[in-house]
Amino acid sequence: ISLLCPLSRTQLIAALGCSAFRQKHTLPDLPYDYGALQPHISAEIMLLHHSKHHATYVNNLNVAEEKYKEALAKGDVTAQVSLQPALKFNGGGHINHTIFWTNLSPNGGGEPQGELMEAIKRDFGSFGNFKEKLTAVSVGVQGSGWGWLGFNQDQGRLQVTACYNQDPLQGTTGLIPLLGIDVWEHAYYLQYKNVRPDYLKAIWNVISWENVSARYTACKK
């Protein structure tokens, strides 16, 4: 929901799905076992990252949405505004991680094929250049955040960028997310300590180019 385009109270309620029958957000199942990405990402990290960190975003998002629904019903604009950071942070955390799990695969690694590879060569010169650029952007995130490969629909091209904290790519930049790399310390510290570049070197071995390619194809339709 864009705060630049004011909506009526009725439209806001409809857009947020704040009806009595709205389904609560739930933690998605991983498409592989916690240990499936070893040795590149340990089972302990995956267990904590998914069942604790992602689950916390889901739970807090549900709480924030419930409070927002109450604020809407009361016409309490101050409360609605005060809840925006929680909605953005926890909603972004849920969106980002839901994409992240599918971007990874025990059968990943290598290079993409077909249309995605052609687009990467067109927009970055080569796969190697793209890999270096996304790695550098991800290493350069100060504090916590994400490195992203996104699709700019207006320009019809791929872009690499970073988002801080749990800011969702599409909601804050307009780019459609294709590949996200989590560089919060909880994504790697237990295995790689404070050496983020080693984690970023390893994660390329488990990138699911099949998933990234499917996202690219879908966003072009």
Side-chain angles (χ1 to χ4, degrees):
I1 297 170
S2 173
L3 297 181
L4 299 178
C5 301
L7 300 177
S8 70
R9 183 177 163 203
T10 301
Q11 288 174 314
L12 271 171
I13 293 173
L16 286 168
C18 291
S19 71
F21 302 103
R22 182 183 65 78
Q23 295 291 317
K24 286 186 177 293
H25 301 286
T26 58
L27 182 67
D29 292 332
L30 289 184
Y32 39 76
D33 294 334
Y34 287 128
L37 304 182
Q38 297 186 115
H40 310 293
I41 304 178
S42 73
E44 183 181 16
I45 286 176
M46 291 300 295
L47 172 64
L48 293 172
H49 199 173
H50 176 258
S51 69
K52 300 298 182 183
H53 291 284
H54 189 175
T56 297
Y57 296 127
V58 171
N59 293 336
N60 289 342
L61 175 60
N62 284 324
V63 170
E65 284 194 344
E66 190 63 31
K67 290 180 179 178
Y68 198 87
K69 181 178 72 173
E70 295 171 0
L72 282 170
K74 295 176 182 177
D76 187 343
V77 177
T78 298
Q80 292 169 41
V81 171
S82 71
L83 287 164
Q84 292 298 318
L87 289 168
K88 182 180 181 182
F89 182 76
N90 294 293
H94 181 38
I95 290 169
N96 294 340
H97 285 88
T98 299
I99 295 168
F100 183 60
W101 307 133
T102 64
N103 277 167
L104 305 178
S105 169
N107 301 313
E111 299 182 359
Q113 306 294 323
E115 281 191 325
L116 178 60
M117 183 58 129
E118 292 173 8
I120 287 173
K121 289 179 178 178
R122 179 195 69 211
D123 296 330
F124 301 102
S126 69
F127 178 74
N129 287 344
F130 154 70
K131 187 175 176 180
E132 287 179 10
K133 188 168 185 178
L134 182 52
T135 297
V137 164
S138 301
V139 168
V141 172
Q142 295 181 337
S144 301
W146 293 73
W148 286 101
L149 170 66
F151 181 65
N152 186 320
Q153 280 191 313
D154 292 335
Q155 299 179 15
R157 67 185 185 91
L158 302 174
Q159 288 182 226
V160 162
T161 191
C163 289
Y164 288 93
N165 298 314
Q166 292 296 352
D167 290 1
L169 182 69
Q170 190 167 4
T172 55
T173 70
L175 298 176
I176 298 175
L178 304 179
L179 169 63
I181 299 180
D182 189 349
V183 290
W184 279 66
E185 284 194 342
H186 64 233
Y188 62 88
Y189 195 85
L190 288 176
Q191 186 171 359
Y192 295 98
K193 305 308 178 192
N194 63 331
V195 190
R196 185 185 290 176
D198 285 355
Y199 158 69
L200 290 167
K201 182 179 179 180
I203 201 169
W204 290 103
N205 294 301
V206 288
I207 298 296
S208 172
W209 293 114
E210 181 179 356
N211 179 264
V212 181
S213 294
R215 291 180 180 278
Y216 178 61
T217 299
C219 74
K220 290 178 62 187
K221 291 181 179 178

